[in-house]
Amino acid sequence: MYPWLDPVGRFSVFKLAVFSALLVPGIILLWPVILEGGATIPVKEAILESGEWTIRILMITLLITPLRRITRFSKLVQVRRQIGVATFCYVMIHFGLYAISQNFDLIRIASEIILRVYLTIGFVAVIGLGVLTATSTKSAMRRLGAKWTRLHKLVYPIAILGVVHFFMQSKIDVSEATLMAGFFVGLMLYRFAHWRGWSLRSAPVLLSIAVLSGALTAGIEYAWYALATGIPADRVFIANLEWMWPLRPAWNVMLAGGLICVISLFGKDKPASIFIKRIAGGQKMPAGASTEKG
């Protein structure tokens, strides 16, 4: 099925917009490589950028389910596989560019993967994403039955491997890796809240997740600097308590959680959504009328 068609084969502006957005980073990061004919510097930069976009798009994939529960925007499910497949495409671009940087020397590539732990971790994640992509079709779902859901829960350890790989290759400046780790923590907290039966349409629940995920992000950053670098971790922790620009990862994660709270106001049957629909339809809000069901 074409990526711009909905499940019944009709043209979907929403799916086309998502598909087009997924193409943009790839075009931007590969264009210098193509112009320079695979020169060393553009390839090295593209390796880093493609790796960053892989983990970003993977986090967006993991966002789809909680965001659907928060907003009740059912069409989000239609693009989950599309975004997931894009994650695999970007990781293959990442791996392909690495192969180019090694002049396609397969023996050297294999030895590097075996000897360098962060490359071993990254390669396991690549294989995992490949398995999930290969089994993401409807025919695979029918063939695997109940096993399909259990298999695709591997996306969570794969995401952890991706974040660990990101930390290890970043070495000293782990701001972006910490940010991705914080987003992953937040996404897991949404799932934990749902598992516990807490409503993801509740403002207190969403605000609590935003604050907790920000605090845990600061903890992850502190732990990394304390255990893996020679930089005083206390200074990093104190920096997280200050409002500065650019913002620390913990603040960005907390603000992202706050943005989800705002988005929730525009979900189905929520006050802002109902108000906008009434305004668009030219209807007046009855005095004293409730804007939310239940």
PDB file of all heavy atoms in Angstrom, residues 239-273:
ATOM      1  N   ALA A 239      23.659  22.635  37.805  1.00  0.00           N
ATOM      2  CA  ALA A 239      23.267  23.321  36.570  1.00  0.00           C
ATOM      3  C   ALA A 239      21.815  23.029  36.217  1.00  0.00           C
ATOM      4  O   ALA A 239      21.103  23.882  35.660  1.00  0.00           O
ATOM      5  CB  ALA A 239      24.180  22.902  35.426  1.00  0.00           C
ATOM      6  N   ASN A 240      21.332  21.820  36.568  1.00  0.00           N
ATOM      7  CA  ASN A 240      19.948  21.466  36.287  1.00  0.00           C
ATOM      8  C   ASN A 240      18.956  22.226  37.153  1.00  0.00           C
ATOM      9  O   ASN A 240      17.765  22.273  36.828  1.00  0.00           O
ATOM     10  CB  ASN A 240      19.738  19.957  36.488  1.00  0.00           C
ATOM     11  CG  ASN A 240      20.170  19.152  35.273  1.00  0.00           C
ATOM     12  OD1 ASN A 240      19.765  19.437  34.156  1.00  0.00           O
ATOM     13  ND2 ASN A 240      21.010  18.143  35.486  1.00  0.00           N
ATOM     14  N   LEU A 241      19.427  22.792  38.239  1.00  0.00           N
ATOM     15  CA  LEU A 241      18.545  23.555  39.117  1.00  0.00           C
ATOM     16  C   LEU A 241      18.418  25.006  38.665  1.00  0.00           C
ATOM     17  O   LEU A 241      17.605  25.756  39.217  1.00  0.00           O
ATOM     18  CB  LEU A 241      19.067  23.508  40.561  1.00  0.00           C
ATOM     19  CG  LEU A 241      19.178  22.106  41.181  1.00  0.00           C
ATOM     20  CD1 LEU A 241      19.749  22.211  42.593  1.00  0.00           C
ATOM     21  CD2 LEU A 241      17.826  21.413  41.198  1.00  0.00           C
ATOM     22  N   GLU A 242      19.226  25.401  37.691  1.00  0.00           N
ATOM     23  CA  GLU A 242      19.220  26.775  37.207  1.00  0.00           C
ATOM     24  C   GLU A 242      18.516  26.865  35.858  1.00  0.00           C
ATOM     25  O   GLU A 242      18.583  25.945  35.040  1.00  0.00           O
ATOM     26  CB  GLU A 242      20.659  27.297  37.075  1.00  0.00           C
ATOM     27  CG  GLU A 242      21.436  27.287  38.385  1.00  0.00           C
ATOM     28  CD  GLU A 242      22.878  27.709  38.179  1.00  0.00           C
ATOM     29  OE1 GLU A 242      23.263  27.985  37.017  1.00  0.00           O
ATOM     30  OE2 GLU A 242      23.627  27.759  39.181  1.00  0.00           O
ATOM     31  N   TRP A 243      17.843  27.989  35.648  1.00  0.00           N
ATOM     32  CA  TRP A 243      17.203  28.252  34.363  1.00  0.00           C
ATOM     33  C   TRP A 243      18.208  28.981  33.486  1.00  0.00           C
ATOM     34  O   TRP A 243      18.568  30.116  33.748  1.00  0.00           O
ATOM     35  CB  TRP A 243      15.949  29.089  34.545  1.00  0.00           C
ATOM     36  CG  TRP A 243      15.209  29.355  33.271  1.00  0.00           C
ATOM     37  CD1 TRP A 243      15.361  30.418  32.440  1.00  0.00           C
ATOM     38  CD2 TRP A 243      14.200  28.534  32.671  1.00  0.00           C
ATOM     39  NE1 TRP A 243      14.513  30.330  31.360  1.00  0.00           N
ATOM     40  CE2 TRP A 243      13.785  29.177  31.473  1.00  0.00           C
ATOM     41  CE3 TRP A 243      13.609  27.322  33.013  1.00  0.00           C
ATOM     42  CZ2 TRP A 243      12.803  28.647  30.641  1.00  0.00           C
ATOM     43  CZ3 TRP A 243      12.630  26.800  32.180  1.00  0.00           C
ATOM     44  CH2 TRP A 243      12.234  27.462  31.008  1.00  0.00           C
ATOM     45  N   MET A 244      18.707  28.293  32.457  1.00  0.00           N
ATOM     46  CA  MET A 244      19.725  28.889  31.598  1.00  0.00           C
ATOM     47  C   MET A 244      19.430  28.540  30.143  1.00  0.00           C
ATOM     48  O   MET A 244      18.598  27.662  29.861  1.00  0.00           O
ATOM     49  CB  MET A 244      21.115  28.370  31.980  1.00  0.00           C
ATOM     50  CG  MET A 244      21.271  26.856  31.826  1.00  0.00           C
ATOM     51  SD  MET A 244      22.935  26.274  32.220  1.00  0.00           S
ATOM     52  CE  MET A 244      23.003  26.575  33.965  1.00  0.00           C
ATOM     53  N   TRP A 245      20.099  29.237  29.246  1.00  0.00           N
ATOM     54  CA  TRP A 245      19.930  28.963  27.814  1.00  0.00           C
ATOM     55  C   TRP A 245      21.283  28.612  27.213  1.00  0.00           C
ATOM     56  O   TRP A 245      22.246  29.317  27.458  1.00  0.00           O
ATOM     57  CB  TRP A 245      19.336  30.178  27.096  1.00  0.00           C
ATOM     58  CG  TRP A 245      18.915  29.833  25.704  1.00  0.00           C
ATOM     59  CD1 TRP A 245      19.627  30.011  24.548  1.00  0.00           C
ATOM     60  CD2 TRP A 245      17.697  29.218  25.323  1.00  0.00           C
ATOM     61  NE1 TRP A 245      18.940  29.548  23.476  1.00  0.00           N
ATOM     62  CE2 TRP A 245      17.741  29.047  23.918  1.00  0.00           C
ATOM     63  CE3 TRP A 245      16.579  28.773  26.005  1.00  0.00           C
ATOM     64  CZ2 TRP A 245      16.699  28.463  23.199  1.00  0.00           C
ATOM     65  CZ3 TRP A 245      15.539  28.204  25.305  1.00  0.00           C
ATOM     66  CH2 TRP A 245      15.615  28.058  23.924  1.00  0.00           C
ATOM     67  N   PRO A 246      21.389  27.529  26.439  1.00  0.00           N
ATOM     68  CA  PRO A 246      20.298  26.606  26.128  1.00  0.00           C
ATOM     69  C   PRO A 246      19.867  25.801  27.350  1.00  0.00           C
ATOM     70  O   PRO A 246      20.663  25.579  28.270  1.00  0.00           O
ATOM     71  CB  PRO A 246      20.902  25.709  25.045  1.00  0.00           C
ATOM     72  CG  PRO A 246      22.371  25.745  25.297  1.00  0.00           C
ATOM     73  CD  PRO A 246      22.665  27.126  25.794  1.00  0.00           C
ATOM     74  N   LEU A 247      18.613  25.380  27.336  1.00  0.00           N
ATOM     75  CA  LEU A 247      18.056  24.662  28.471  1.00  0.00           C
ATOM     76  C   LEU A 247      18.727  23.302  28.642  1.00  0.00           C
ATOM     77  O   LEU A 247      19.111  22.661  27.676  1.00  0.00           O
ATOM     78  CB  LEU A 247      16.550  24.461  28.282  1.00  0.00           C
ATOM     79  CG  LEU A 247      15.686  25.719  28.224  1.00  0.00           C
ATOM     80  CD1 LEU A 247      14.242  25.348  27.952  1.00  0.00           C
ATOM     81  CD2 LEU A 247      15.799  26.506  29.521  1.00  0.00           C
ATOM     82  N   ARG A 248      18.859  22.877  29.898  1.00  0.00           N
ATOM     83  CA  ARG A 248      19.365  21.548  30.184  1.00  0.00           C
ATOM     84  C   ARG A 248      18.339  20.498  29.727  1.00  0.00           C
ATOM     85  O   ARG A 248      17.144  20.784  29.645  1.00  0.00           O
ATOM     86  CB  ARG A 248      19.632  21.382  31.681  1.00  0.00           C
ATOM     87  CG  ARG A 248      20.586  22.381  32.285  1.00  0.00           C
ATOM     88  CD  ARG A 248      21.973  22.261  31.731  1.00  0.00           C
ATOM     89  NE  ARG A 248      22.510  20.904  31.874  1.00  0.00           N
ATOM     90  CZ  ARG A 248      23.649  20.510  31.325  1.00  0.00           C
ATOM     91  NH1 ARG A 248      24.352  21.337  30.570  1.00  0.00           N
ATOM     92  NH2 ARG A 248      24.079  19.288  31.504  1.00  0.00           N
ATOM     93  N   PRO A 249      18.795  19.283  29.420  1.00  0.00           N
ATOM     94  CA  PRO A 249      17.868  18.237  28.970  1.00  0.00           C
ATOM     95  C   PRO A 249      16.684  18.020  29.909  1.00  0.00           C
ATOM     96  O   PRO A 249      15.556  17.802  29.451  1.00  0.00           O
ATOM     97  CB  PRO A 249      18.767  16.997  28.901  1.00  0.00           C
ATOM     98  CG  PRO A 249      20.132  17.534  28.629  1.00  0.00           C
ATOM     99  CD  PRO A 249      20.202  18.820  29.380  1.00  0.00           C
ATOM    100  N   ALA A 250      16.928  18.076  31.219  1.00  0.00           N
ATOM    101  CA  ALA A 250      15.840  17.850  32.178  1.00  0.00           C
ATOM    102  C   ALA A 250      14.716  18.859  32.004  1.00  0.00           C
ATOM    103  O   ALA A 250      13.527  18.515  32.053  1.00  0.00           O
ATOM    104  CB  ALA A 250      16.379  17.896  33.610  1.00  0.00           C
ATOM    105  N   TRP A 251      15.082  20.128  31.791  1.00  0.00           N
ATOM    106  CA  TRP A 251      14.070  21.154  31.573  1.00  0.00           C
ATOM    107  C   TRP A 251      13.324  20.931  30.258  1.00  0.00           C
ATOM    108  O   TRP A 251      12.098  21.112  30.188  1.00  0.00           O
ATOM    109  CB  TRP A 251      14.724  22.542  31.577  1.00  0.00           C
ATOM    110  CG  TRP A 251      15.089  23.031  32.930  1.00  0.00           C
ATOM    111  CD1 TRP A 251      16.339  23.062  33.488  1.00  0.00           C
ATOM    112  CD2 TRP A 251      14.205  23.558  33.921  1.00  0.00           C
ATOM    113  NE1 TRP A 251      16.282  23.574  34.759  1.00  0.00           N
ATOM    114  CE2 TRP A 251      14.996  23.891  35.058  1.00  0.00           C
ATOM    115  CE3 TRP A 251      12.829  23.786  33.964  1.00  0.00           C
ATOM    116  CZ2 TRP A 251      14.440  24.437  36.217  1.00  0.00           C
ATOM    117  CZ3 TRP A 251      12.274  24.330  35.124  1.00  0.00           C
ATOM    118  CH2 TRP A 251      13.079  24.648  36.226  1.00  0.00           C
ATOM    119  N   ASN A 252      14.056  20.541  29.226  1.00  0.00           N
ATOM    120  CA  ASN A 252      13.406  20.286  27.939  1.00  0.00           C
ATOM    121  C   ASN A 252      12.416  19.127  28.027  1.00  0.00           C
ATOM    122  O   ASN A 252      11.322  19.182  27.445  1.00  0.00           O
ATOM    123  CB  ASN A 252      14.461  19.976  26.866  1.00  0.00           C
ATOM    124  CG  ASN A 252      15.128  21.235  26.347  1.00  0.00           C
ATOM    125  OD1 ASN A 252      14.486  22.245  26.112  1.00  0.00           O
ATOM    126  ND2 ASN A 252      16.449  21.189  26.173  1.00  0.00           N
ATOM    127  N   VAL A 253      12.785  18.084  28.765  1.00  0.00           N
ATOM    128  CA  VAL A 253      11.877  16.942  28.931  1.00  0.00           C
ATOM    129  C   VAL A 253      10.630  17.370  29.707  1.00  0.00           C
ATOM    130  O   VAL A 253       9.499  17.003  29.343  1.00  0.00           O
ATOM    131  CB  VAL A 253      12.597  15.785  29.655  1.00  0.00           C
ATOM    132  CG1 VAL A 253      11.605  14.698  30.074  1.00  0.00           C
ATOM    133  CG2 VAL A 253      13.671  15.188  28.748  1.00  0.00           C
ATOM    134  N   MET A 254      10.829  18.149  30.755  1.00  0.00           N
ATOM    135  CA  MET A 254       9.683  18.603  31.544  1.00  0.00           C
ATOM    136  C   MET A 254       8.777  19.521  30.728  1.00  0.00           C
ATOM    137  O   MET A 254       7.539  19.415  30.795  1.00  0.00           O
ATOM    138  CB  MET A 254      10.156  19.321  32.804  1.00  0.00           C
ATOM    139  CG  MET A 254       9.028  19.653  33.771  1.00  0.00           C
ATOM    140  SD  MET A 254       9.620  19.993  35.452  1.00  0.00           S
ATOM    141  CE  MET A 254      10.696  21.390  35.162  1.00  0.00           C
ATOM    142  N   LEU A 255       9.369  20.403  29.936  1.00  0.00           N
ATOM    143  CA  LEU A 255       8.566  21.288  29.086  1.00  0.00           C
ATOM    144  C   LEU A 255       7.823  20.496  28.011  1.00  0.00           C
ATOM    145  O   LEU A 255       6.685  20.833  27.664  1.00  0.00           O
ATOM    146  CB  LEU A 255       9.468  22.346  28.437  1.00  0.00           C
ATOM    147  CG  LEU A 255       9.995  23.434  29.379  1.00  0.00           C
ATOM    148  CD1 LEU A 255      10.977  24.339  28.645  1.00  0.00           C
ATOM    149  CD2 LEU A 255       8.848  24.264  29.953  1.00  0.00           C
ATOM    150  N   ALA A 256       8.460  19.451  27.476  1.00  0.00           N
ATOM    151  CA  ALA A 256       7.779  18.596  26.499  1.00  0.00           C
ATOM    152  C   ALA A 256       6.567  17.927  27.137  1.00  0.00           C
ATOM    153  O   ALA A 256       5.498  17.815  26.519  1.00  0.00           O
ATOM    154  CB  ALA A 256       8.742  17.544  25.955  1.00  0.00           C
ATOM    155  N   GLY A 257       6.726  17.500  28.396  1.00  0.00           N
ATOM    156  CA  GLY A 257       5.584  16.938  29.122  1.00  0.00           C
ATOM    157  C   GLY A 257       4.495  17.968  29.329  1.00  0.00           C
ATOM    158  O   GLY A 257       3.301  17.658  29.244  1.00  0.00           O
ATOM    159  N   GLY A 258       4.912  19.220  29.586  1.00  0.00           N
ATOM    160  CA  GLY A 258       3.929  20.297  29.718  1.00  0.00           C
ATOM    161  C   GLY A 258       3.187  20.549  28.415  1.00  0.00           C
ATOM    162  O   GLY A 258       1.977  20.826  28.412  1.00  0.00           O
ATOM    163  N   LEU A 259       3.916  20.438  27.286  1.00  0.00           N
ATOM    164  CA  LEU A 259       3.284  20.604  25.980  1.00  0.00           C
ATOM    165  C   LEU A 259       2.232  19.520  25.744  1.00  0.00           C
ATOM    166  O   LEU A 259       1.161  19.790  25.193  1.00  0.00           O
ATOM    167  CB  LEU A 259       4.345  20.559  24.879  1.00  0.00           C
ATOM    168  CG  LEU A 259       3.840  20.667  23.431  1.00  0.00           C
ATOM    169  CD1 LEU A 259       3.125  21.995  23.207  1.00  0.00           C
ATOM    170  CD2 LEU A 259       5.006  20.530  22.449  1.00  0.00           C
ATOM    171  N   ILE A 260       2.527  18.294  26.180  1.00  0.00           N
ATOM    172  CA  ILE A 260       1.548  17.212  26.062  1.00  0.00           C
ATOM    173  C   ILE A 260       0.293  17.558  26.868  1.00  0.00           C
ATOM    174  O   ILE A 260      -0.833  17.279  26.436  1.00  0.00           O
ATOM    175  CB  ILE A 260       2.154  15.878  26.550  1.00  0.00           C
ATOM    176  CG1 ILE A 260       3.283  15.432  25.626  1.00  0.00           C
ATOM    177  CG2 ILE A 260       1.076  14.795  26.638  1.00  0.00           C
ATOM    178  CD1 ILE A 260       2.837  15.073  24.219  1.00  0.00           C
ATOM    179  N   CYS A 261       0.478  18.181  28.032  1.00  0.00           N
ATOM    180  CA  CYS A 261      -0.673  18.611  28.839  1.00  0.00           C
ATOM    181  C   CYS A 261      -1.540  19.604  28.066  1.00  0.00           C
ATOM    182  O   CYS A 261      -2.773  19.521  28.095  1.00  0.00           O
ATOM    183  CB  CYS A 261      -0.197  19.253  30.138  1.00  0.00           C
ATOM    184  SG  CYS A 261       0.624  18.121  31.268  1.00  0.00           S
ATOM    185  N   VAL A 262      -0.877  20.533  27.392  1.00  0.00           N
ATOM    186  CA  VAL A 262      -1.617  21.531  26.598  1.00  0.00           C
ATOM    187  C   VAL A 262      -2.341  20.849  25.440  1.00  0.00           C
ATOM    188  O   VAL A 262      -3.515  21.122  25.162  1.00  0.00           O
ATOM    189  CB  VAL A 262      -0.657  22.617  26.070  1.00  0.00           C
ATOM    190  CG1 VAL A 262      -1.387  23.563  25.123  1.00  0.00           C
ATOM    191  CG2 VAL A 262      -0.047  23.387  27.233  1.00  0.00           C
ATOM    192  N   ILE A 263      -1.647  19.936  24.756  1.00  0.00           N
ATOM    193  CA  ILE A 263      -2.251  19.209  23.638  1.00  0.00           C
ATOM    194  C   ILE A 263      -3.473  18.436  24.105  1.00  0.00           C
ATOM    195  O   ILE A 263      -4.474  18.325  23.370  1.00  0.00           O
ATOM    196  CB  ILE A 263      -1.210  18.267  23.002  1.00  0.00           C
ATOM    197  CG1 ILE A 263      -0.133  19.071  22.280  1.00  0.00           C
ATOM    198  CG2 ILE A 263      -1.875  17.291  22.021  1.00  0.00           C
ATOM    199  CD1 ILE A 263       1.017  18.241  21.749  1.00  0.00           C
ATOM    200  N   SER A 264      -3.414  17.906  25.327  1.00  0.00           N
ATOM    201  CA  SER A 264      -4.537  17.120  25.839  1.00  0.00           C
ATOM    202  C   SER A 264      -5.823  17.935  25.913  1.00  0.00           C
ATOM    203  O   SER A 264      -6.919  17.387  25.822  1.00  0.00           O
ATOM    204  CB  SER A 264      -4.197  16.556  27.221  1.00  0.00           C
ATOM    205  OG  SER A 264      -4.188  17.576  28.210  1.00  0.00           O
ATOM    206  N   LEU A 265      -5.693  19.254  26.069  1.00  0.00           N
ATOM    207  CA  LEU A 265      -6.870  20.121  26.135  1.00  0.00           C
ATOM    208  C   LEU A 265      -7.628  20.158  24.821  1.00  0.00           C
ATOM    209  O   LEU A 265      -8.805  20.533  24.782  1.00  0.00           O
ATOM    210  CB  LEU A 265      -6.460  21.540  26.530  1.00  0.00           C
ATOM    211  CG  LEU A 265      -5.790  21.703  27.898  1.00  0.00           C
ATOM    212  CD1 LEU A 265      -5.342  23.138  28.091  1.00  0.00           C
ATOM    213  CD2 LEU A 265      -6.748  21.279  29.009  1.00  0.00           C
ATOM    214  N   PHE A 266      -6.940  19.800  23.730  1.00  0.00           N
ATOM    215  CA  PHE A 266      -7.555  19.824  22.406  1.00  0.00           C
ATOM    216  C   PHE A 266      -7.960  18.420  21.946  1.00  0.00           C
ATOM    217  O   PHE A 266      -8.312  18.223  20.787  1.00  0.00           O
ATOM    218  CB  PHE A 266      -6.595  20.442  21.394  1.00  0.00           C
ATOM    219  CG  PHE A 266      -6.287  21.888  21.676  1.00  0.00           C
ATOM    220  CD1 PHE A 266      -5.263  22.236  22.535  1.00  0.00           C
ATOM    221  CD2 PHE A 266      -7.046  22.891  21.100  1.00  0.00           C
ATOM    222  CE1 PHE A 266      -4.980  23.567  22.815  1.00  0.00           C
ATOM    223  CE2 PHE A 266      -6.780  24.230  21.371  1.00  0.00           C
ATOM    224  CZ  PHE A 266      -5.741  24.567  22.238  1.00  0.00           C
ATOM    225  N   GLY A 267      -7.906  17.457  22.864  1.00  0.00           N
ATOM    226  CA  GLY A 267      -8.320  16.109  22.531  1.00  0.00           C
ATOM    227  C   GLY A 267      -9.828  16.004  22.370  1.00  0.00           C
ATOM    228  O   GLY A 267     -10.575  16.935  22.681  1.00  0.00           O
ATOM    229  N   LYS A 268     -10.271  14.868  21.900  1.00  0.00           N
ATOM    230  CA  LYS A 268     -11.695  14.645  21.667  1.00  0.00           C
ATOM    231  C   LYS A 268     -12.482  14.805  22.964  1.00  0.00           C
ATOM    232  O   LYS A 268     -12.117  14.263  24.003  1.00  0.00           O
ATOM    233  CB  LYS A 268     -11.910  13.241  21.108  1.00  0.00           C
ATOM    234  CG  LYS A 268     -13.337  12.965  20.669  1.00  0.00           C
ATOM    235  CD  LYS A 268     -13.444  11.572  20.070  1.00  0.00           C
ATOM    236  CE  LYS A 268     -14.882  11.276  19.630  1.00  0.00           C
ATOM    237  NZ  LYS A 268     -15.014   9.917  19.069  1.00  0.00           N
ATOM    238  N   ASP A 269     -13.578  15.575  22.894  1.00  0.00           N
ATOM    239  CA  ASP A 269     -14.484  15.829  24.021  1.00  0.00           C
ATOM    240  C   ASP A 269     -13.859  16.666  25.126  1.00  0.00           C
ATOM    241  O   ASP A 269     -14.397  16.741  26.228  1.00  0.00           O
ATOM    242  CB  ASP A 269     -15.007  14.511  24.628  1.00  0.00           C
ATOM    243  CG  ASP A 269     -15.780  13.681  23.622  1.00  0.00           C
ATOM    244  OD1 ASP A 269     -16.391  14.272  22.728  1.00  0.00           O
ATOM    245  OD2 ASP A 269     -15.765  12.439  23.741  1.00  0.00           O
ATOM    246  N   LYS A 270     -12.725  17.293  24.840  1.00  0.00           N
ATOM    247  CA  LYS A 270     -12.108  18.177  25.820  1.00  0.00           C
ATOM    248  C   LYS A 270     -12.598  19.611  25.601  1.00  0.00           C
ATOM    249  O   LYS A 270     -13.020  19.981  24.488  1.00  0.00           O
ATOM    250  CB  LYS A 270     -10.582  18.111  25.721  1.00  0.00           C
ATOM    251  CG  LYS A 270      -9.985  16.877  26.390  1.00  0.00           C
ATOM    252  CD  LYS A 270     -10.142  16.975  27.889  1.00  0.00           C
ATOM    253  CE  LYS A 270      -9.406  15.846  28.591  1.00  0.00           C
ATOM    254  NZ  LYS A 270      -9.437  15.999  30.052  1.00  0.00           N
ATOM    255  N   PRO A 271     -12.539  20.471  26.655  1.00  0.00           N
ATOM    256  CA  PRO A 271     -13.105  21.821  26.559  1.00  0.00           C
ATOM    257  C   PRO A 271     -12.632  22.637  25.367  1.00  0.00           C
ATOM    258  O   PRO A 271     -13.435  23.223  24.644  1.00  0.00           O
ATOM    259  CB  PRO A 271     -12.675  22.475  27.879  1.00  0.00           C
ATOM    260  CG  PRO A 271     -12.512  21.347  28.815  1.00  0.00           C
ATOM    261  CD  PRO A 271     -12.016  20.199  27.988  1.00  0.00           C
ATOM    262  N   ALA A 272     -11.315  22.691  25.147  1.00  0.00           N
ATOM    263  CA  ALA A 272     -10.788  23.515  24.052  1.00  0.00           C
ATOM    264  C   ALA A 272     -11.275  22.992  22.706  1.00  0.00           C
ATOM    265  O   ALA A 272     -11.627  23.775  21.811  1.00  0.00           O
ATOM    266  CB  ALA A 272      -9.263  23.528  24.088  1.00  0.00           C
ATOM    267  N   SER A 273     -11.305  21.678  22.542  1.00  0.00           N
ATOM    268  CA  SER A 273     -11.753  21.076  21.288  1.00  0.00           C
ATOM    269  C   SER A 273     -13.213  21.385  21.026  1.00  0.00           C
ATOM    270  O   SER A 273     -13.596  21.757  19.906  1.00  0.00           O
ATOM    271  CB  SER A 273     -11.530  19.566  21.335  1.00  0.00           C
ATOM    272  OG  SER A 273     -12.031  18.950  20.177  1.00  0.00           O
TER     273      SER A 273
END
